[in-house]
Amino acid sequence: MAEEAEGRVDLPPTPGSEQQAPHFLQDVIFHGKFKLLKALTPQESTLCQHGLFFLDGQRRVDYVLSYPSKKPSSGRSGRQATHLLTENAVARSLRRGPHSRGQHNPHHQAQRAKDPSGADVELGCPETLNGHEDQKILRREEFEGKLKDMGLELEKDEETKISGVSFVKIHAPWNILCREAELMKLKMPTKKVYEVKQLRGVVEKISSLVSKVVEPLHPQVEEHQQKNIKHLSHTFSREKQHLFDLSDKDYFFDSKTRSSIVFEILKRTKCKAKYSMGITSLLGNGVYTAAYPLHDGDINEECAVPNDRKLLYEEWANYGVFYKYQPIGLVRKYFGEKIGLYFAWLGLYTQMLIPASLVGVIVFLYGCATVDDNIPSMEICSTGNNITMCPLCDRVCSYWNLSSACATARASHLFDNPATVFFSIFMALWAAMFMEHWKRRQMRLNYEWDLTGFEDEEEALKDHPRAEYELRVMQKSTNKDQKAQHKIEKLTCQDRLPAYTTNIVMMLLMIGVTFAIVFGVILYRISTKAALYMSSNPVTRNNAQLTVKTTAAIINLVVILILDEVYGAVARWLTVLEVPKTDKSFEERLIFKTFILKFVNAFTPIIYIAFFRGRLVGRPGSYLYVFESYRMEECAHGGCLMELCIQLSITMLGKQLIQNNLFEIGVPKLKKLIRYIRSKQGAFQEEERKKKLQRYETDHFLEPFAGLTPEYMEMIIQFGFVTLFVASFPLAPLFALLNNIIEIRLDAKKFVTELRRPVAARAKDIGIWYNLLRGVANVAVIVNAFVISFTSDFIPRMVYQYMYSPDGSMHGFVNNTLSYFNVSHFQQGKEPMEPLYLGQPVQTCRYKDYRDPPWSTTPYEISKEFWAVLAVRLAFVIVFQNVVMLMSDIVDWLIPDIPKDISLQIHKEKILLVDLFLKEEQGKAGNLQHRSSMEGNENWSNNNNKHTNSTNSL
């Protein structure tokens, strides 16, 4: 095998291969031959273990580093080529020789002096290396040497099928795994097993019945142990290895744990070529191009060897199993606890959306069923009332009949009815129950995944500094006087003051940009509406309102999608400027900045429509103007709730369909295509496609894992859409549910097939995301209270019915909400150009407001009804907020954070651990006593023999 691997060479490209790449792209893009895309995916050997082990076939590849390398040119002289082959042969013989694993003879040292990186190619062409490349080689050589000093075993592969890329395969021996597992305080299962307490009585029967009903919904994942039996786990210790089952050392630490251990060593190992550097800095400086653990194997059907990746692809990352539960245990086993918690949270959130969707649909259907019985809608649609309304814009707009707004009024009732108040209260309680349910689910997973004692380890590791922080501290220390070199340097607030100032200014600037764009869309609506009303086409004039609303909502959506990408990059740049000390601090600061910017970007247009539009208008004869020419826009007679619903639905559906799904599918495919073209794989020669790539070569073309922040962020924004303005759009939970059903499988497929395997990270909770969820849920109560009070007509209807209605009904409500205006009081140049548009002269027109009529002693002044309605609105906000908050607190108090059975099992585990250690100590004491007694008996027998011998001699 070794000789075959050494003999691999890259075939030179055939003539005309450069011309085949454009034809391939034309076939895919223009002729629809999408099957050719399969040629992009490197086909592996039918042996799934190909590339997962060193050349000896025994040592597993736990981690891979890749770095750029230049192939020798063919235009060299014979002497140079012979010299190159000789040095390559010597280098290969040294790597295969007995001294290649840590024993360096003088001849080997001489070779390494010639070639600091150990690469065959770089040995043969020193003249092609500039000073920068030499520095990279020195850093790489020093870093790899220190990795060997740490006990890791390395194997290089320079003769790969990927042009310009070489690989370093890393293996951690058993003793290194044990040492690092003890340092990292990993909990491992012991030999001791115990029975998990099962439910008894009626609860057990109900649980078994439910289990039988939902059995088809469970994935076909083989359970390696019985559900009622659990291994007792304990922090690994080399002194207590006898407590653990070490019968199969190769699989005691699974691939996830092995790669995380190697990654900890890579982070801790420093390269002091210029500054103290770890693997993160080396990657940032281009010394290495990538560092990643390997996937377990292939997912193709031809693969006969089963592996966890293939099982996840079949039972999880597949749209055909969308109705099944997720195999969270297997996800955690393969990707680690942090990713497992994300998918567990996403699955629970999706399940909780089912009852919310059902109630939302019922509320919507209630609005559809009662629209014909709604008295205000009937009064608006009645042509007998013949109410003449004031113009909606200056000059070009004329008077219009209220009955023409019949369709808008009926549509508004679908979302503005008494049931929406109930739904708002229900969603507030739903959010509280979701948070409590997640805390219980999280605690259960902590118990099942042996994370109950993770707090101590987290406290110990939280102060581990980032490489960028260490670099800044070292740069600061070099600028100090020599007298202060013995002091421990750190970055102070004064050092970070420029970064903090930049953060504040840039955050305010980005928020100002969002406000400016919203203001621009307002001007677009005002000007476009005036232009459409000037049209001679009656169809255009009649549909002007709908056209303006829809196009403005689409423009807002496009701007939101663009600014989301910009704000994400700006937030990362600002966080890098701050130079946080730890990875956890960096992640939390980045999340907070990104959330603020994206939240403002997504909800500013909606907040404007809900709370500001139509309230800064003025009245006929005294309108409010922008730039002295643009009259502020009004709401339709049915209220702004319908427009709010249109804006909310287009933004939510657009973000989900375009940003969350289309981008997540299309962008990774496009990046993968670009990487293959750049790596000179665009020729797509038949013989090249038949070549089998190693596992680490295949994973090199996958997309690097960029963290869970984008996944969480889109779900948090969606949670805001579901809870914040649910009073205006009761179908939001249904659309979120449909999106999440696809989102789970889409994310799963991305993790399994499109991304490199991430390094497993342990976590006991979802971190700052829980606090953001709690904050959004609390803000949602206040926002919905204001939407019901000020945006909908719920409060004015209640006030009229119980205070002003002569018969206690809603008859006359529309007339009560309309004020009178004398058309002779129009400002000069603002009156309609066509005053006889309705076929008769108009003396007075009506507009929606609570003002005194022109014939009163205080014309056009705010009436008493306005103050009565305003007082009830404010009172409703206060009562609604406090009642819902109180009910949410009651829900929190009634539902315990830790399930009772889990609390009992945790207590039982502690008792069993104490018993285990007591028995161990007793065993040690018994062994010592037995050994001391044996030694005493031996001494007595020896003394007795000596006494007998002395007697005989006498």
Side-chain angles (χ1 to χ4, degrees), residues 131-148:
H132 186 62
E133 293 296 327
D134 289 337
Q135 189 68 23
K136 288 184 180 180
I137 295 173
L138 290 174
R139 294 184 184 181
R140 197 156 53 233
E141 174 66 19
E142 180 184 358
F143 185 72
E144 292 170 7
K146 291 192 175 183
L147 291 181
K148 292 179 181 179

Side-chain angles (χ1 to χ4, degrees), residues 49 52-54 56-63 170-172 250-251 253 255 258 296:
Q49 304 299 323
L52 294 175
F53 292 85
F54 278 17
D56 56 12
Q58 301 296 324
R59 292 173 289 172
R60 177 182 294 273
V61 177
D62 298 321
Y63 219 86
I170 303 176
H171 169 77
D250 292 336
Y251 294 96
F253 297 106
S255 59
R258 296 173 69 98
D296 276 358

Side-chain angles (χ1 to χ4, degrees), residues 861-879:
E861 292 294 328
I862 295 175
S863 63
K864 296 180 181 179
E865 287 86 351
F866 172 84
W867 299 111
V869 171
L870 179 61
V872 175
R873 280 174 166 170
L874 295 176
F876 178 84
V877 170
I878 297 173
V879 173

Side-chain angles (χ1 to χ4, degrees), residues 432-433 436-437 439-440 890-898:
M433 293 186 65
E436 291 301 313
H437 194 180
K439 284 195 291 187
R440 291 169 60 85
I890 292 175
V891 171
D892 293 348
W893 177 72
L894 289 177
I895 302 177
D897 294 345
I898 304 177

Side-chain angles (χ1 to χ4, degrees), residues 519-768:
F519 183 72
V521 175
I522 294 172
L523 296 181
Y524 162 80
R525 276 201 293 257
I526 296 172
S527 58
T528 305
K529 183 171 66 173
L532 292 177
Y533 274 116
M534 294 175 63
S535 174
S536 59
N537 190 346
V539 177
T540 303
R541 293 170 62 94
N542 294 335
N543 296 321
Q545 290 278 3
L546 181 61
T547 303
V548 170
K549 294 174 188 176
T550 307
T551 55
I554 294 174
I555 291 174
N556 274 324
L557 171 63
V558 174
V559 171
I560 288 172
L561 295 179
I562 295 174
L563 289 184
D564 267 354
E565 303 300 322
V566 175
Y567 287 165
V570 170
R572 178 168 290 276
W573 174 65
L574 293 177
T575 308
V576 171
L577 283 182
E578 292 183 18
V579 194
K581 182 176 181 180
T582 62
D583 289 330
K584 183 178 180 180
S585 176
F586 180 89
E587 184 180 15
E588 289 181 349
R589 296 186 186 196
L590 174 62
I591 290 171
F592 181 74
K593 293 183 184 64
T594 308
F595 172 76
I596 292 296
L597 293 176
K598 291 192 174 184
F599 186 86
V600 171
N601 180 40
F603 289 101
T604 298
I606 300 173
I607 292 174
Y608 163 74
I609 295 176
F611 302 125
F612 296 98
R613 185 178 178 183
R615 287 168 177 80
L616 304 175
V617 179
R619 60 169 180 83
S622 180
Y623 283 114
L624 180 65
Y625 291 89
V626 180
F627 302 138
E628 298 182 357
S629 58
Y630 293 101
R631 177 176 139 187
M632 291 298 294
E633 53 186 348
E634 303 178 46
C635 292
H637 184 75
C640 283
L641 201 67
M642 189 62 195
E643 300 181 24
L644 176 62
C645 178
I646 293 174
Q647 178 69 54
L648 190 64
S649 59
I650 291 179
T651 304
M652 181 179 180
L653 295 178
K655 280 181 66 67
Q656 290 180 352
L657 294 178
I658 298 175
Q659 188 179 42
N660 299 353
N661 293 331
L662 185 61
F663 284 2
E664 288 188 11
I665 296 174
V667 172
K669 294 286 186 183
L670 182 61
K671 289 183 178 180
K672 188 176 181 181
L673 177 63
I674 293 173
R675 279 197 301 272
Y676 269 88
I677 294 175
R678 286 181 176 178
S679 61
K680 300 180 182 179
Q681 301 291 325
F684 298 101
Q685 305 157 5
E686 187 66 25
E687 59 271 15
E688 289 294 329
R689 288 203 300 268
K690 290 182 179 179
K691 285 187 177 183
K692 306 303 180 183
L693 297 184
Q694 301 280 358
R695 177 78 263 159
Y696 49 87
E697 295 172 328
T698 305
D699 289 356
H700 179 76
F701 288 104
L702 298 179
E703 184 75 11
F705 175 65
L708 289 171
T709 300
E711 316 299 334
Y712 272 116
M713 189 63 66
E714 66 182 65
M715 289 294 107
I716 296 295
I717 298 297
Q718 184 199 86
F719 184 77
F721 283 120
V722 169
T723 56
L724 286 177
F725 295 93
V726 73
S728 62
F729 191 41
L731 295 180
L734 176 63
F735 290 126
L737 173 64
L738 297 177
N739 173 80
N740 288 3
I741 291 175
I742 302 174
E743 180 74 19
I744 291 176
R745 306 303 165 179
L746 180 63
D747 284 347
K749 194 168 185 178
K750 181 174 67 174
F751 272 86
V752 174
T753 63
E754 300 291 339
L755 296 180
R756 293 174 187 163
R757 187 175 183 179
V759 179
R762 287 178 296 169
K764 63 182 179 65
D765 52 35
I766 60 176
I768 192 177

